Amino acid sequence: MQKQLTKGILFLITLCMIGSAAACSGEPANKTKSDNHKAEEKLIEDRQELTKLQQYSSDPDIKKGKDEDFDLIGTLKKDAEKEMTLNIDDQLVKVPKSSGMEVEGSQLKDMINKEVEAEIDAAKQEATSIELTPKAKADKNGVYEQDGDERKIVGVFIEESNKHITVKVPNGKKTYQKSTDFEKEEKGSLKEKTVYLEINSANEVESIEKEDRE
């Protein structure tokens, strides 16, 4: 009887040891599965975060699915130490600023309530530079950049003939004669589109280009 009792106790002890070993061996597997699941969730969250600002961009490369630096265009509404707020298509968008963000052509405080273009680092999701758009820089004649008698003009396309191009600027309609080496790469109608003209020293238009957003 005692031998049978001893064997029974030994059998129970063996079962307990096997059960403990199984429990111990199962814990790392469950933990590994949990860690893998968390890692996958983190990758999804990171990807969502990386596309946060891209959704507000009208940059053609972004629309083509390219994962690279891009532009954001909107009205600068607020500037803080580490971020700024842009109004993009009636949405207020907070944009982090890089520590070395470049402000081109003006001071940031003078850009408030004006249209700006910010260059965004796609990986870090922060602005690396900011400047006024040609529209915001332009004077009443549409001139946003000038070098001697050569000018760059932004305006709304009105009409085109074999020899002339007419655009609308704040001062009214302006008609320019085409130069002999006039270039136009745009296809389709430019009617009522925002365009950029390069004007030479002879007051002739050398090229016309449609704004990317349009």
Side-chain angles (χ1 to χ4, degrees), residues 31-159:
K31 187 176 181 181
T32 300
K33 289 180 180 179
S34 177
D35 289 344
N36 288 341
H37 183 65
K38 288 180 180 178
E40 289 175 0
E41 288 183 338
K42 185 66 168 59
L43 286 173
I44 293 173
E45 289 175 0
D46 288 346
R47 183 59 190 165
Q48 289 173 340
E49 184 66 23
L50 285 174
T51 59
K52 183 178 179 181
L53 291 177
Q54 277 91 331
Q55 64 184 307
Y56 300 107
S57 178
S58 57
D59 193 313
D61 287 338
I62 293 299
K63 293 180 180 179
K64 294 176 183 177
K66 295 183 179 180
D67 190 14
E68 56 187 37
D69 295 351
F70 58 94
D71 295 329
L72 284 182
I73 297 177
T75 302
L76 180 62
K77 302 302 293 183
K78 184 179 179 181
D79 175 46
E81 182 180 356
K82 294 184 178 181
E83 68 178 21
M84 54 191 175
T85 303
L86 301 183
N87 185 329
I88 303 174
D89 296 329
D90 295 326
Q91 293 188 70
L92 294 179
V93 180
K94 290 185 177 181
V95 181
K97 296 155 60 175
S98 68
S99 57
M101 187 183 78
E102 297 180 3
V103 181
E104 301 178 16
S106 184
Q107 295 185 36
L108 208 53
K109 64 179 182 178
D110 297 328
M111 296 183 181
I112 299 294
N113 292 323
K114 295 181 180 179
E115 190 178 65
V116 297
E117 180 174 340
E119 178 79 11
I120 307 298
D121 183 312
K124 295 182 179 180
Q125 289 287 287
E126 59 185 20
T128 56
S129 69
I130 187 172
E131 65 177 325
L132 292 173
T133 64
K135 287 181 182 177
K137 296 177 185 177
D139 61 19
K140 292 183 178 181
N141 292 313
V143 179
Y144 66 90
E145 190 175 315
Q146 186 160 355
D147 182 11
D149 292 331
E150 297 181 347
R151 312 182 301 286
K152 292 185 178 180
I153 292 175
V154 58
V156 177
F157 183 89
I158 301 298
E159 60 184 5

Side-chain angles (χ1 to χ4, degrees), residues 8-19:
I9 293 172
L10 290 172
F11 178 72
L12 289 174
I13 292 173
T14 302
L15 285 177
C16 289
M17 291 176 66
I18 293 172

